[in-house]
Amino acid sequence: MKQPCSKIRIASKEVIISQPLSTFWVYLLGFLTVGVGLYFFQIQNGENSRLWWGISLLLWGIGALLAGTSYQAFAYEIKCAGRQFCSWTSWWEVVYLIFQQVSMNAMLVALAYSCTTGTFQTVLLGYAVMSSVVYVILVFIGGIVPIKSLITFGFMVWVSTPVFLFFCLLNAWRYYMFSYDMDLVLLGSWILLFCTMMAYWIYNKLGITKKLWAKGIWFSENDVLHVFLIFWIIYIATFVAEHIKDYTIP
């Protein structure tokens, strides 16, 4: 499918920017997420959970910037310029997928410190490490062999889904048992993240991108994802950050 592009001149070189508006949204998301990650470091105050929230969001934000560079802004320059046929992926995208998945596991570590203790916490920390290592290996294999099914957003979401479901169940159970504000605001974040993925899926399923582009309007399913995630990261900064703390005995 054809995409909107614009040309800019950098020094003496003319560069083609793909999907300029989409580039704006994904870069805005990336910089906001990095900023909120750094904010968690600033308010850490000795809390391991806040430290790992900061690590998670820093990885997530950098991943968004990498994705925006290869999928949107410089997609033509990275995957097509000087080639007879465009490349189906790039190492920018491989590293993005790794950062994104490891970010989810870093978030699992953060929740382990916030919501669990003892053996259960140790198991969760071990799972986060093991899952990250296995995923990194699979993605590198997918990039080198190559195996396209391993270098996809869908595969990354599939791997992340058990962790996401665990987040929902853990915070729902804890809020039911103890009525902690932290669990309530975390539940709100997971609901917002679920709505984000549903909006992306429905928009893509209905083929709205193509319908709008036929009318000269470019707003893709990725833009829907990124705009919703911008609201999600603002929610994290506004409501979640101040409530995050390490586990305490009920």
Side-chain angles (χ1 to χ4, degrees):
M1 181 173 63
K2 293 183 178 179
Q3 302 174 0
C5 298
S6 62
K7 295 180 180 179
I8 63 172
R9 184 169 293 277
I10 301 177
S12 60
K13 181 177 175 60
E14 192 173 70
V15 176
I16 294 178
I17 300 295
S18 304
Q19 305 179 31
L21 183 58
S22 298
T23 297
F24 169 78
W25 291 123
V26 69
Y27 278 1
L28 177 60
L29 170 64
F31 284 118
L32 276 176
T33 307
V34 167
V36 176
L38 295 176
Y39 174 64
F40 269 96
F41 292 149
Q42 183 181 0
I43 64 170
Q44 181 195 348
N45 196 29
E47 305 277 355
N48 286 321
S49 48
R50 289 183 179 177
L51 170 65
W52 281 96
W53 264 100
I55 293 170
S56 173
L57 294 178
L58 188 61
L59 291 172
W60 192 311
I62 294 172
L65 295 173
L66 292 171
T69 298
S70 187
Y71 286 111
Q72 280 91 28
F74 299 102
Y76 174 82
E77 298 293 336
I78 292 172
K79 294 187 285 189
C80 298
R83 302 171 185 263
Q84 185 177 0
F85 300 103
C86 291
S87 173
W88 63 276
T89 191
S90 74
W91 283 103
W92 292 79
E93 294 167 15
V94 171
V95 177
Y96 145 68
L97 291 169
I98 290 171
F99 273 47
Q100 187 67 60
Q101 176 57 28
V102 174
S103 167
M104 282 295 290
N105 287 325
M107 200 173 291
L108 174 61
V109 172
L111 257 73
Y113 281 120
S114 283
C115 304
T116 68
T117 189
T119 302
F120 190 25
Q121 184 183 93
T122 302
V123 169
L124 292 178
L125 298 180
Y127 175 86
V129 173
M130 181 178 65
S131 175
S132 296
V133 170
V134 171
Y135 183 79
V136 169
I137 292 171
L138 288 175
V139 170
F140 269 112
I141 291 173
I144 293 169
V145 172
I147 303 173
K148 291 186 179 182
S149 60
L150 297 178
I151 314 295
T152 63
F153 178 74
F155 179 67
M156 185 267 292
V157 170
W158 182 82
V159 173
S160 299
T161 296
V163 175
F164 173 75
L165 293 176
F166 174 76
F167 291 168
C168 297
L169 292 173
L170 178 63
N171 290 129
W173 176 79
R174 278 174 50 91
Y175 185 69
Y176 175 78
M177 293 296 295
F178 311 120
S179 299
Y180 289 154
D181 288 343
M182 180 180 72
D183 293 291
L184 182 61
V185 296
L186 283 170
L187 268 176
S189 74
W190 311 141
I191 291 170
L192 184 53
L193 199 54
F194 175 77
C195 291
T196 298
M197 296 307 301
M198 287 301 298
Y200 170 86
W201 182 82
I202 292 170
Y203 198 92
N204 187 42
K205 191 73 173 177
L206 295 177
I208 297 175
T209 299
K210 291 182 179 179
K211 294 175 183 177
L212 288 179
W213 186 226
K215 299 178 181 179
I217 301 171
W218 180 264
F219 194 80
S220 71
E221 62 273 11
N222 288 324
D223 297 330
V224 172
L225 177 69
H226 297 147
V227 170
F228 268 76
L229 284 174
I230 287 169
F231 285 111
W232 178 73
I233 198 62
I234 291 172
Y235 176 91
I236 295 294
T238 306
F239 299 103
V240 174
E242 64 180 286
H243 288 94
I244 294 298
K245 60 183 180 179
D246 287 354
Y247 182 88
T248 54
I249 302 297

